[in-house]
Amino acid sequence: MTTGGKTPRAAGGWREGDPAGRRLWYSHDGPLAGLPAVRLAYETWGTLNADRSNAVLVEHALTGDSHVAGVAEPGHPTPGWWDALVGPGRPLDPAHWFIVVPNVLGGCQGSTGPLSTAPDGRPWGSRFPLVTARDQVAAEVALADALGVDSWAAVLGGSMGGMRALEWAVGHPDRLGALLLLACPAAASAEQIALASTQIHAVRADPLLGLGIARRIAHISYRTEAELATRFGREPQGDGRFAVESYLDHHADKLVRRFDPDSYVVLTESMNSHDVGRDRGGVRSALRRVTARTIVAGVDTDRLFPLTQQEELAAGITTADDLRVVTSDHGHDAFLIESDQVGALVRELLPARVPSGA
């Protein structure tokens, strides 16, 4: 992949010296998740109340970050990825909830990852160790301790974020009261690993070109054949390319400008390794550990994480209601796009407000 542990400056990602934006940092001195030390970038909205009962953890997906809400600004290359859900009068209202959104361990937006400096003084680059969703949650547990959050009112996550949310609920059942799992599995399937490993090979062959190719492959799996047919069909452009090719090129270019190739590999491998039943007696046994009030939701057109995987979660978690289905033409990406439907699930999971805790 990269040479000598260095990532080309043309690659995206936050680096020391870049504007901090809204980020805060938590530093854990000492070994954690196989690393000699860990730093997590995170953002918060609202205020932790006196009895610490109103904290909500939001877990981002593969190429997301801590900037869940707000405009694009120095330090934040894109607007908030769930902006419609966080803010005054929205399902996650900072007037009532203390909302915490960390950049995942292994990410490239301020947390320890391949862009970070290794003990030898060089960037980790492709030498960064494998981290699992369980490792990433271990870092978030340390963050919660530092924030004084003994128990989350709720943990919410979709896609890769749902994997970590599930790990929280299984590994630390006494530390969350409610759980929302969106478009995620109990364990990565063979097909998902196959799609992801193809993307990894592309990045390892050429970091920047490969990252663009990986994004094109991934984006096809995020949407639906029907949507692509309706929006683009076989329409050509003036340059001779099909319109759908231009669409994929646009999304590839956007990601390359803001994301680090090594981090993409690290996080994709963490998704491939996801298995909530590992060393816990299997998936069924692991899911029975969940005690949080749970809503599991899938997308009817999701071809990356199909409804059968959410059916397994809803059936195996004894505190879950029946599976909820988000109806959409957008496929897997509906968990980010269908804000009205997803917002209704958040409102159902969390009351409109909590006591002040005074």
Side-chain angles (χ1 to χ4, degrees), residues 102-140:
N103 180 219
V104 68
L105 178 66
C108 62
Q109 288 296 332
S111 290
T112 296
L115 288 176
S116 304
T117 302
D120 63 1
R122 297 183 297 143
W124 280 101
S126 58
R127 303 173 300 156
F128 196 82
L130 172 68
V131 290
T132 66
R134 209 168 295 180
D135 294 327
Q136 291 160 342
V137 167
E140 293 170 1

Side-chain angles (χ1 to χ4, degrees), residues 9-256:
R9 187 63 180 92
W14 188 91
R15 290 169 171 79
E16 295 292 341
D18 289 346
R22 296 190 75 261
R23 289 176 185 83
L24 302 168
W25 276 275
Y26 160 70
S27 294
H28 180 87
D29 296 325
L32 196 155
L35 291 157
V38 164
R39 186 175 76 161
L40 292 186
Y42 67 99
E43 296 177 53
T44 68
W45 287 258
T47 303
L48 187 63
N49 61 13
D51 63 5
R52 303 175 181 179
S53 63
N54 69 332
V56 175
L57 178 66
V58 177
E59 304 276 43
H60 68 75
L62 172 61
T63 61
D65 53 39
S66 62
H67 200 54
V68 71
V71 299
E73 58 184 295
H76 301 295
T78 55
W81 52 270
W82 238 6
D83 194 64
L85 269 68
V86 179
R90 296 173 184 172
L92 292 173
D93 191 333
H96 311 309
W97 302 106
F98 176 57
I99 303 143
V100 180
V101 189
N103 180 219
V104 68
L105 178 66
C108 62
Q109 288 296 332
S111 290
T112 296
L115 288 176
S116 304
T117 302
D120 63 1
R122 297 183 297 143
W124 280 101
S126 58
R127 303 173 300 156
F128 196 82
L130 172 68
V131 290
T132 66
R134 209 168 295 180
D135 294 327
Q136 291 160 342
V137 167
E140 293 170 1
V141 167
L143 170 63
D145 291 343
L147 294 174
V149 177
D150 297 324
S151 178
W152 301 101
V155 177
L156 290 64
S159 192
M160 187 186 82
M163 296 176 182
R164 299 198 307 285
L166 181 60
E167 277 291 343
W168 263 100
V170 170
H172 309 275
D174 58 332
R175 297 199 65 163
L176 63 159
L179 174 68
L180 177 60
L181 300 175
L182 293 165
C184 65
S189 71
E191 182 177 52
Q192 288 149 11
I193 294 170
L195 279 169
S197 65
T198 303
Q199 297 169 48
I200 290 171
H201 280 291
V203 178
R204 285 182 169 153
D206 185 297
L208 296 183
L209 292 177
L211 181 59
I213 293 169
R215 183 60 166 184
R216 290 172 176 88
I217 296 169
H219 201 76
I220 295 168
S221 73
Y222 296 159
R223 310 307 276 247
T224 69
E225 186 278 333
E227 180 192 15
L228 296 179
T230 300
R231 290 180 64 182
F232 305 107
R234 292 181 47 81
E235 290 300 314
Q237 299 186 141
D239 59 4
R241 292 183 305 159
F242 289 107
V244 70
E245 291 180 275
S246 179
Y247 169 72
L248 294 176
D249 291 346
H250 169 70
H251 282 281
D253 183 66
K254 281 177 59 179
L255 187 71
V256 169

